[in-house]
């Protein structure tokens, strides 16, 4: 069995739910064959989220780590290619902090690439009938904070562990008037199961076009 740590966030920004956590719970309750998945909820708070992530890694001792976050407005599940070393918060986090142009890790590299086979992960989700894409920006809020913090932790302390970050769209309940894109949480969970299976079995990523012009 491959040990997997799957994290999602608590609600933020006035929302009552966070589909990243809802999807994580569904996957942990019915994981893919061959994977032992532990779901952990992270606080949507700069600093505290990385403390909670480290504690979860130390407890679970995973071979794969997949952190999830909400990206309202996106049309599908998006696998993040890169996280950057900057916190620049458009809104306060759940503790009221709003850092501007501060490093996630002082003195750390400018960025970390995901160590998951990101294009294979996207392809696996599409094959499962789930809208998916590769993303080249995880933003500069707590999601990127965790994505970068995870990359730094793996690179500096756990080089044998692979991990990455994925954004999920709003759930239909968050946009009941249909004014913005949404994807049912159970469909997101289906995609995440396919993604995790691909990540666990694939070392060399697909060489296919997933680039963007802007």
């Amino acid at each position: 069995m491959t040990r997997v740590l799957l994290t999602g966030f608590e609600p933020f920004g006035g929302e009552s739910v966070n589909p990243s956590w809802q999807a994580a719970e569904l996957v942990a309750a019915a994981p893919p064959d061959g994977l032992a998945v532990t779901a952990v909820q992270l606080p949507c708070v700069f600093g505290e989220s990385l403390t909670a992530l480290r504690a979860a890694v130390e407890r679970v001792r995973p071979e794969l780590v997949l952190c999830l976050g909400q990206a309202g407005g996106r049309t599908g599940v998006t696998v993040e290619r890169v996280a950057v070393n900057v916190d620049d918060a458009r809104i306060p986090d759940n503790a009221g902090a709003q850092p501007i142009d501060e490093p996630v890790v002082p003195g750390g590299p400018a960025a970390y690439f995901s160590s998951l086979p990101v294009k294979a992960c996207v392809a696996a989700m599409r094959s499962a009938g789930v809208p998916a894409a590769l993303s080249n920006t995880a933003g500069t809020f707590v999601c990127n904070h965790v994505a970068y913090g995870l990359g730094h932790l793996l690179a500096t302390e756990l080089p044998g562990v692979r991990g990455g970050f994925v954004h999920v769209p709003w759930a239909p309940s968050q946009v009941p008037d249909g004014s913005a894109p949404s994807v049912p949480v159970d469909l997101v969970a289906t995609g995440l199961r396919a993604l995790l299976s691909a990540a666990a079995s694939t070392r060399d990523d697909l060489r296919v076009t997933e680039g963007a012009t802007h």
Side-chain angles (χ1 to χ4, degrees):
M1 298 288 284
T2 299
R3 295 186 304 279
V4 178
L5 172 61
L6 184 61
T7 74
F9 280 109
E10 65 183 358
F12 71 98
E15 298 282 353
S16 60
V17 298
N18 191 317
S20 70
W21 175 240
Q22 292 176 311
E25 286 187 301
L26 289 178
V27 174
D33 290 343
L35 304 184
V37 179
T38 300
V40 173
Q41 187 182 81
L42 301 182
C44 190
V45 178
F46 290 101
E48 289 183 22
S49 54
L50 293 184
T51 300
L53 175 62
R54 174 182 284 275
V57 168
E58 291 175 350
R59 176 170 61 86
V60 177
R61 301 178 62 85
E63 298 160 82
L64 284 175
V65 182
L66 183 66
C67 297
L68 309 176
Q70 171 188 296
R74 293 192 184 182
T75 58
V77 182
T78 48
V79 181
E80 299 298 341
R81 192 200 301 256
V82 62
V84 295
N85 191 15
V86 62
D87 292 332
D88 190 7
R90 181 179 59 82
I91 60 174
D93 67 13
N94 282 358
Q98 193 172 2
I100 297 175
D101 297 340
E102 296 181 9
V104 180
V105 177
Y112 282 108
F113 285 105
S114 173
S115 53
L116 300 181
V118 292
K119 293 182 177 180
C121 289
V122 170
M125 287 193 287
R126 289 175 179 163
S127 294
V130 179
L134 186 64
S135 169
N136 294 304
T137 175
T140 55
F141 195 51
V142 184
C143 286
N144 176 78
H145 183 82
V146 164
Y148 184 91
L150 172 64
H152 189 73
L153 176 63
L154 301 187
T156 59
E157 299 182 41
L158 300 167
V161 180
R162 295 182 297 142
F165 196 96
V166 167
H167 269 117
V168 306
W170 275 321
S173 65
Q174 294 174 285
V175 282
D177 62 357
S179 60
S182 64
V183 177
V185 175
D186 58 347
L187 184 59
V188 171
T190 295
L192 294 174
R193 292 185 187 99
L195 181 158
L196 289 173
S197 293
S201 61
T202 305
R203 291 284 177 169
D204 297 324
D205 203 2
L206 300 178
R207 191 169 177 81
V208 296
T209 298
E210 289 288 349
T213 57
H214 57 81

